[in-house]
Amino acid sequence: MSQGSGRLWSGNREQILWFAFAYLLLALPCMGFLPNFWSRVLTLAWDSHTHQYITEQAILNVTCETLMGLDKHQLSCVEEQAGLGRAFWRAVGEVGKSNAAMDFLSSTRSDPVYHFDSERVDSAIVMLRQFWAQALLSIQAKEYQSARQSLGKLFHSLQDFYSHSNWVEMGHRTIYHHLLQPDEPAFPVAKDDTPTCLECFSSTCRDNILPRFTWRKHPSLLLTTGYFSTHPPKPEGKCSHGGIMDSSRHKGAKGGINKDTTSPLFSPHHYLHVEAAGLATEATLAVLRDLRDTVGHISFLRLFSVKQPPALIFVMDTTGSMFEEITAARLRALSIIKSRANTPGQPGTFLFVPFHDPEVGPVYETDDPNQFMGYMENVMALGGGDEPEMCLSGIQLALTHSPPLSEIFVFTDASPKDAHLFNAVKALTLERQCKVTFLLTEDPGYVIKGRMRRRRSREQLSHDRFSLYSSLSSLSGGLTVFTTNSDIYRVSTIVEDNTAADRVTLLHVESDSDSTSSHPFMVDSAVRTVTLHLTGNVTDCKLIDPSGHRQSLLGEQGPLAELELFEGLYRVRLLSPIQPGQWTLQAQTDGHFTFNIIGDSNMDFLYYFATVANETHPGLERVQGSPIAGVPTFLVVAVMGLVPSEEISFSHVTLLGANGESLLQVQLNSSSSASSSLFSHTGEELVGQVDSVPRKPFCVRLSGRDKRGNKLERVSTEIIQPTHIQIQVLSIPHLVPGHSTMVHFDVLNHGPARLFNLTANDNCGYLHQRGPHSFPVAERGSLRGQVDLHTPARAEAGATVTLTFTVRALDSQDSNYVVAYLTVVPPDPDTSPPLCSPMPVDGPCATKCTGSSWSVSMALTDRGRSGLASLMLHHGEGVLTPLHNPTPSQESPLGETHTGHDQLQADRDRATTLVSPGHHKFRLKKGDPPLNVSEWIGGSSQPLWVTYTSSCCSAWAELLVWDKAGNMKRCRLMYGQQKALRDSGTESNRTENTLLSSGFVVLLGLIWTILL
């Protein structure tokens, strides 16, 4: 815990507890595991497991497993965490945000289906499987942000099952596989008229569930879940959710069964909270491991942006005057690709968006650097026309395809023709926390003659026609550099500077001042290199190190730094060794200037603003868009990139104005104890209360100290623009090809009565009306509205539609935004997994396993409409051989697992070994990538035969089979005394993580046979 946070807690603990108690008296009912860390404060349940903690720990653990499986050196998980990167923690935060939103969105927070309440188990299971299918669709389409949203929803409902049902009370210590595996055994759910609970008159309810719902040996064991509040009404004799906020607890049967917290005030079965949380964690881990096995290790790591270097993104004007700019971008990309070739890990994402007038795109996106360079070689500067070009359309296209936290580099010499898109582009830039840097090869102050681009009425062009570019770069923390064709390649070195791995910002200042200014910045021992970028007309510049030594950067060579001066850009690099401590940059400027100082360090941070939710779930709800000026709010900071030996603590954040001045200092405290905090090794999650959000734009600087007392600082450069308008999306529906969909929203006015303009924009053209729409809103009033989208029948399943709302007051600069991501889903998705139809085991095993072998054949069939896609030997030391399909029998379809063995035997005997086009027989071993078998399957019902052969010293194996919809089946292969084979589905104890001795495996086989 940081030093500052400890002081804050000790001084304000009583005040916080009284605040929590008062809040609880006013709050509406709470259901589900608590949403996030602040919920533990509000409910006084300090040691409860929250949705946030369960989800984040599971993602972290499976990510470490995956990395250690790929890395031959196998670093420990603690060592891996420090290098996962800022993008990873943002991706994890997106899953957590989507998870928590289930408790906060008006469309989901009170719906029992989303929380396994009110015995709506069957409907909730259908919804869970839809979330799974949607996540797979999005990953296959490389729409990773949408996939993370689907996963967050899935995890929330899945985790709620173990807290809200009687599964734990039944005595189960393994997860309920049927929730996501249709072939697994299912428990029936109690009917509406079946009593489930006894009366309970205390806050702790023990043995209040009727015996037939808890005794595992009961012949008709049933599932039940608690009823919550008054919708739907609870039948007499049913179990309630329970807790002091659940109004249904007063209706018979009184009491409740939820295990959400460790507090008896909120959870009548609080004594089973740890067991429920453990199963919820195990279920979350199982989903993540199944997902990894389904999409592959590489796609799984990309889903969570694990150790991904920054994306290289060019938005390029391709008209005839841009030859030098295109050449510079091509050469700079080649230099970056060569430098990354010498580093371990993935090369990253490469993105190129061309634009001119009237065409924009198409987007070229790849993970292959050679393909990207091949594309860049073919880009030509052709054509021309009027001076304005479709630049903002190109940036919007890049933003919808770029990973969050990217920096986009725009090359152009023309002003934007599509200025109406500025607010939508601004919203996307801020929501995705991307920087936009413009490299402009035409000075806005005068006209250059003799250029290749011939524009009409050149003399009439406005001098401020590039102002939208400057505004966008300023609010995103990027730069606008005015340079020349002759210097564009040298200036583009900032592309290389800013896309290097582990870049952090130490200082970002922008001003229109004409006077001398002094700007201190901290360099700590964790920073390895430091680079300064200065734009504008700088007449004098001095650098002062922590010891007081000075160097004039413009007039002399010195020991502190070296300067490269280009047209429009000053690039300064501190020389090694860099002295830790406070440095100072003193500059005399003439007009507008920007100073940006970056370093190379693993340590960085993310943050968001949040308010206390006062609906069904106590917790901190993230603010959508910009925070409201002049009102209290919370600032949550997540620090990453630390290792335990560094012992770094963080005490406060400072909200900095545009000129670098301090507007407000916010003290931070730890969100949880060090023993349970997710960031106990990688950093720490911290929270501070902002008494009143400043009314001026600001950025955020994090401050702390290392174990030697030296100061540390990091700056997040995007500009937050506080406002008095709020817009909230109330529901995030899915889009179905050929159908229309409504998205509902609220506009809240925190200022006086006035008129507003609302504009909606989507990247696919599905909106019926974009606006702007004008409407009045009363003082402190609100307006509810909706927009309609029509998804064309040709829309591809898995695609993401980015919907942006911007609202603006007509009498002031007040504005706000919100961005929603909608996924296109098929109208009738295939959710049926493949089927394994086994044959008896061949080859008896001797007492001594050496020298003997066993084999088994199996028919694999897809029961859905998709058809088989691929298979992989997940476990086992033997060899799996796919066979050519025999002609399917007309008498005995392969729909039943344990019937028609004579016909199955005949079909198998007619099968032959699959061979590749090069006449090589396919043999799969453990560790081989999945084998694509779709080309050998004639139709969706066509079976595929496989034979597995293994030494008797390896008594079991597991085969993974996928269909084209991404549904996965785990087929367990095992020999026994009766040579019987059964398909066991997913093992709850995840035996792939345990190294079993051969004797223990034989014992398992014997027990399996006896049980059968």
Side-chain angles (χ1 to χ4, degrees):
M1 181 180 294
S2 68
Q3 297 171 357
S5 66
R7 291 193 297 269
L8 189 147
W9 273 119
S10 61
N12 295 341
R13 185 180 183 91
E14 182 177 352
Q15 178 182 351
I16 291 175
L17 293 179
W18 274 110
F19 165 76
F21 182 70
Y23 164 78
L24 292 174
L25 294 179
L26 297 175
L28 292 177
C30 163
M31 62 179 185
F33 284 114
L34 299 174
N36 50 42
F37 65 87
W38 196 246
S39 309
R40 290 187 292 224
V41 178
L42 296 175
T43 60
L44 311 183
W46 305 96
D47 55 347
S48 296
H49 293 269
T50 65
H51 281 294
Q52 176 187 1
Y53 178 78
I54 293 171
T55 300
E56 291 176 341
Q57 284 286 9
I59 294 174
L60 181 60
N61 288 339
V62 177
T63 298
C64 286
E65 286 177 11
T66 306
L67 288 172
M68 289 189 285
L70 293 175
D71 188 356
K72 301 302 182 183
H73 300 292
Q74 294 194 356
L75 297 175
S76 70
C77 193
V78 172
E79 293 172 312
E80 290 283 11
Q81 290 177 43
L84 290 175
R86 188 169 179 241
F88 169 78
W89 294 110
R90 190 187 194 278
V92 172
E94 287 177 6
V95 179
K97 175 184 176 182
S98 176
N99 188 321
M102 299 281 276
D103 285 339
F104 300 138
L105 286 176
S106 60
S107 59
T108 58
R109 64 189 175 211
S110 298
D111 189 334
V113 174
Y114 290 98
H115 306 281
F116 274 94
D117 285 327
S118 307
E119 298 184 324
R120 300 301 191 264
V121 175
D122 292 337
S123 298
I125 289 176
V126 171
M127 184 199 62
L128 272 185
R129 295 172 185 171
Q130 289 174 349
F131 288 150
W132 168 263
Q134 290 157 14
L136 287 180
L137 277 174
S138 296
I139 295 172
Q140 291 165 356
K142 296 186 177 180
E143 298 284 2
Y144 297 124
Q145 189 160 9
S146 294
R148 292 190 286 265
Q149 287 187 351
S150 296
L151 281 177
K153 297 173 185 177
L154 188 158
F155 290 152
H156 186 100
S157 299
L158 181 68
Q159 292 158 6
D160 272 356
F161 169 79
Y162 297 97
S163 176
H164 296 176
S165 73
N166 62 325
W167 184 261
V168 174
E169 287 83 351
M170 285 180 177
H172 291 291
R173 295 298 177 261
T174 58
I175 61 177
Y176 186 25
H177 297 293
H178 179 73
L179 295 177
L180 285 168
Q181 300 288 338
D183 289 345
E184 291 299 313
F187 284 86
V189 182
K191 302 294 185 182
D192 291 344
D193 58 354
T194 303
T196 57
C197 264
L198 301 171
E199 299 282 357
C200 172
F201 299 98
S202 66
S203 57
T204 298
C205 294
R206 297 183 184 272
D207 301 324
N208 62 324
I209 303 179
L210 291 172
R212 68 174 300 188
F213 297 91
T214 59
W215 186 38
R216 293 188 66 179
K217 294 184 179 180
H218 196 284
S220 57
L221 196 61
L222 300 176
L223 270 176
T224 185
T225 65
Y227 279 73
F228 174 74
S229 191
T230 58
H231 302 288
K234 185 180 82 169
E236 191 69 25
K238 288 292 187 180
C239 299
S240 287
H241 179 82
I244 62 174
M245 299 302 176
D246 179 16
S247 59
S248 76
R249 78 186 191 281
H250 298 299
K251 184 177 180 181
K254 297 180 177 62
I257 64 170
N258 91 73
K259 297 163 282 293
D260 296 341
T261 76
T262 56
S263 169
L265 293 175
F266 295 91
S267 301
H269 284 200
H270 60 92
Y271 52 90
L272 295 175
H273 170 78
V274 173
E275 287 82 353
L279 289 176
T281 300
E282 187 179 341
T284 307
L285 289 168
V287 169
L288 288 166
R289 288 164 178 150
D290 284 349
L291 185 68
R292 178 190 60 195
D293 292 339
T294 299
V295 303
H297 286 54
I298 300 302
S299 292
F300 180 84
L301 295 178
R302 285 177 180 159
L303 169 65
F304 293 109
S305 301
V306 178
K307 295 187 176 182
Q308 292 289 308
L312 180 60
I313 304 168
F314 291 143
V315 177
M316 180 69 68
D317 183 344
T318 56
T319 45
S321 60
M322 295 295 293
F323 174 79
E324 291 88 350
E325 291 86 341
I326 293 173
T327 301
R330 182 185 299 131
L331 294 175
R332 192 59 62 187
L334 180 61
S335 175
I336 292 170
I337 288 170
K338 286 182 177 178
S339 66
R340 291 185 182 181
N342 299 323
T343 60
Q346 299 299 314
T349 297
F350 301 89
L351 197 72
F352 187 91
V353 181
F355 72 89
H356 49 89
D357 182 19
E359 295 181 3
V360 179
V363 177
Y364 184 80
E365 182 178 4
T366 182
D367 299 319
D368 187 330
N370 294 324
Q371 289 183 3
F372 184 73
M373 284 310 303
Y375 179 83
M376 291 288 292
E377 292 293 338
N378 294 323
V379 175
M380 303 292 293
L382 298 173
D386 292 344
E387 192 271 347
E389 304 292 352
M390 304 293 284
C391 183
L392 293 180
S393 298
I395 298 172
Q396 182 186 39
L397 199 56
L399 285 165
T400 57
H401 286 78
S402 302
L405 304 176
S406 296
E407 184 156 1
I408 297 171
F409 297 93
V410 184
F411 293 77
T412 186
D413 60 0
S415 60
K417 187 175 184 177
D418 44 6
H420 64 281
L421 290 177
F422 178 77
N423 286 330
V425 171
K426 169 185 170 182
L428 281 172
T429 301
L430 292 174
E431 194 279 331
R432 300 180 72 81
Q433 293 181 279
C434 288
K435 295 181 182 180
V436 183
T437 289
F438 292 87
L439 303 180
L440 304 178
T441 47
E442 181 169 326
D443 189 283
Y446 59 89
V447 175
I448 302 174
K449 298 181 180 180
R451 297 291 299 277
M452 186 179 297
R453 184 195 298 269
R454 297 180 179 179
R455 301 188 175 98
R456 303 185 186 99
S457 303
R458 294 294 298 272
E459 294 76 10
Q460 300 177 9
L461 295 178
S462 170
H463 287 183
D464 65 352
R465 64 189 184 275
F466 296 105
S467 60
L468 291 183
Y469 297 161
S470 298
S471 296
L472 190 60
S473 66
S474 176
L475 66 90
S476 69
L479 298 172
T480 297
V481 182
F482 295 98
T483 187
T484 63
N485 281 346
S486 59
D487 259 17
I488 183 62
Y489 174 70
R490 295 199 300 159
V491 166
S492 69
T493 190
I494 65 172
V495 177
E496 209 155 344
D497 290 341
N498 291 356
T499 57
D502 300 325
R503 280 293 185 258
V504 298
T505 303
L506 305 178
L507 176 70
H508 186 86
V509 176
E510 190 166 348
S511 177
D512 293 313
S513 152
D514 291 337
S515 60
T516 300
S517 55
S518 181
H519 305 280
F521 61 96
M522 296 299 305
V523 177
D524 55 77
S525 57
V527 176
R528 295 180 285 275
T529 63
V530 177
T531 304
L532 292 71
H533 295 141
L534 290 70
T535 67
N537 186 14
V538 180
T539 58
D540 187 31
C541 188
K542 292 184 175 64
L543 187 66
I544 306 172
D545 73 3
S547 299
H549 301 114
R550 294 171 174 261
Q551 178 182 337
S552 177
L553 295 176
L554 300 183
E556 64 184 60
Q557 296 290 332
L560 302 183
E562 62 179 11
L563 169 70
E564 293 179 276
L565 176 58
F566 313 130
E567 183 67 34
L569 176 69
Y570 303 82
R571 180 177 183 264
V572 180
R573 184 175 63 87
L574 299 194
L575 298 176
S576 297
I578 301 174
Q579 182 180 354
Q582 179 174 291
W583 291 65
T584 303
L585 183 69
Q586 293 180 346
Q588 174 71 45
T589 58
D590 182 11
H592 184 85
F593 70 88
T594 303
F595 298 158
N596 191 60
I597 304 178
I598 57 176
D600 180 12
S601 172
N602 289 332
M603 189 184 73
D604 207 346
F605 75 104
L606 295 165
Y607 71 94
Y608 62 89
F609 292 93
T611 57
V612 176
N614 60 355
E615 296 294 339
T616 57
H617 299 75
L620 285 184
E621 180 179 7
R622 294 193 187 208
V623 171
Q624 299 184 47
S626 299
I628 304 303
V631 302
T633 189
F634 287 93
L635 179 62
V636 181
V637 177
V639 186
M640 64 283 305
L642 302 180
V643 295
S645 59
E646 290 178 330
E647 298 180 13
I648 294 174
S649 63
F650 297 94
S651 56
H652 65 276
V653 297
T654 306
L655 308 185
L656 301 174
N659 296 325
E661 74 278 17
S662 174
L663 301 179
L664 182 68
Q665 190 174 102
V666 181
Q667 297 299 314
L668 298 173
N669 58 265
S670 175
S671 63
S672 57
S673 65
S675 61
S676 62
S677 172
L678 173 65
F679 298 98
S680 58
H681 294 300
T682 63
E684 195 172 4
E685 195 166 40
L686 308 164
V687 62
Q689 184 169 0
V690 182
D691 295 329
S692 178
V693 175
R695 300 179 187 274
K696 298 171 60 176
F698 61 86
C699 65
V700 177
R701 182 179 68 198
L702 174 67
S703 299
R705 293 183 182 273
D706 62 19
K707 60 184 178 182
R708 292 173 292 276
N710 300 318
K711 291 183 179 179
L712 304 95
E713 290 180 352
R714 296 291 184 270
V715 177
S716 187
T717 56
E718 64 270 15
I719 299 298
I720 303 299
Q721 298 179 310
T723 180
H724 296 90
I725 312 169
Q726 192 174 5
I727 181 168
Q728 298 176 334
V729 172
L730 304 179
S731 62
I732 305 178
H734 296 107
L735 305 179
V736 179
H739 292 75
S740 293
T741 305
M742 290 187 297
V743 178
H744 299 272
F745 62 88
D746 277 347
V747 175
L748 296 88
N749 179 19
H750 294 264
R754 47 190 169 163
L755 287 174
F756 294 92
N757 264 358
L758 175 76
T759 302
N761 189 281
D762 76 292
N763 63 320
C764 295
Y766 293 173
L767 277 167
H768 285 297
Q769 293 183 327
R770 297 175 180 269
H773 306 282
S774 297
F775 52 87
V777 182
E779 181 178 358
R780 306 293 175 179
S782 63
L783 173 78
R784 178 159 295 183
Q786 67 183 44
V787 294
D788 299 328
L789 299 95
H790 180 76
T791 308
R794 67 179 183 280
E796 184 178 353
T800 295
V801 176
T802 303
L803 178 62
T804 305
F805 294 95
T806 56
V807 60
R808 179 175 59 86
L810 297 184
D811 64 346
S812 69
Q813 296 297 316
D814 261 355
S815 65
N816 212 335
Y817 67 92
V818 68
V819 180
Y821 300 94
L822 312 179
T823 302
V824 178
V825 300
D828 186 18
D830 177 8
T831 59
S832 299
L835 178 69
C836 305
S837 300
M839 294 293 293
V841 175
D842 292 333
C845 287
T847 304
K848 292 185 178 181
C849 63
T850 56
S852 57
S853 63
W854 62 281
S855 65
V856 62
S857 296
M858 177 179 293
L860 309 176
T861 312
D862 183 38
R863 292 175 296 178
R865 302 174 303 279
S866 305
L868 294 177
S870 58
L871 55 89
M872 179 179 73
L873 183 62
H874 194 228
H875 288 291
E877 303 304 320
V879 175
L880 185 73
T881 305
L883 307 175
H884 270 303
N885 297 323
T887 302
S889 169
Q890 300 296 321
E891 300 177 1
S892 178
L894 297 175
E896 297 295 331
T897 306
H898 303 297
T899 60
H901 278 282
D902 291 342
Q903 186 60 55
L904 290 176
Q905 181 71 46
D907 287 345
R908 185 195 65 171
D909 293 342
R910 290 184 287 112
T912 58
T913 303
L914 278 176
V915 294
S916 68
H919 305 289
H920 298 292
K921 294 183 178 181
F922 285 106
R923 299 284 191 270
L924 287 179
K925 295 182 178 180
K926 185 179 70 173
D928 290 343
L931 174 66
N932 184 355
V933 298
S934 58
E935 59 186 282
W936 295 297
I937 306 300
S940 61
S941 61
Q942 184 78 359
L944 173 70
W945 281 95
V946 296
T947 296
Y948 177 76
T949 304
S950 174
S951 164
C952 287
C953 296
S954 177
W956 69 280
E958 187 177 58
L959 171 66
L960 305 185
V961 187
W962 292 273
D963 65 15
K964 294 177 183 177
N967 299 304
M968 182 184 70
K969 181 69 174 179
R970 292 182 181 271
C971 304
R972 172 61 62 88
L973 314 175
M974 183 178 292
Y975 75 87
Q977 287 181 329
Q978 301 298 322
K979 305 175 188 176
L981 180 68
R982 294 297 184 266
D983 175 16
S984 66
T986 307
E987 290 300 309
S988 62
N989 59 359
R990 304 296 304 183
T991 51
E992 62 267 34
N993 296 325
T994 306
L995 299 176
L996 298 175
S997 67
S998 59
F1000 183 64
V1001 172
V1002 173
L1003 179 59
L1004 271 180
L1006 293 174
I1007 295 174
W1008 179 269
T1009 304
I1010 294 171
L1011 290 176
L1012 293 177

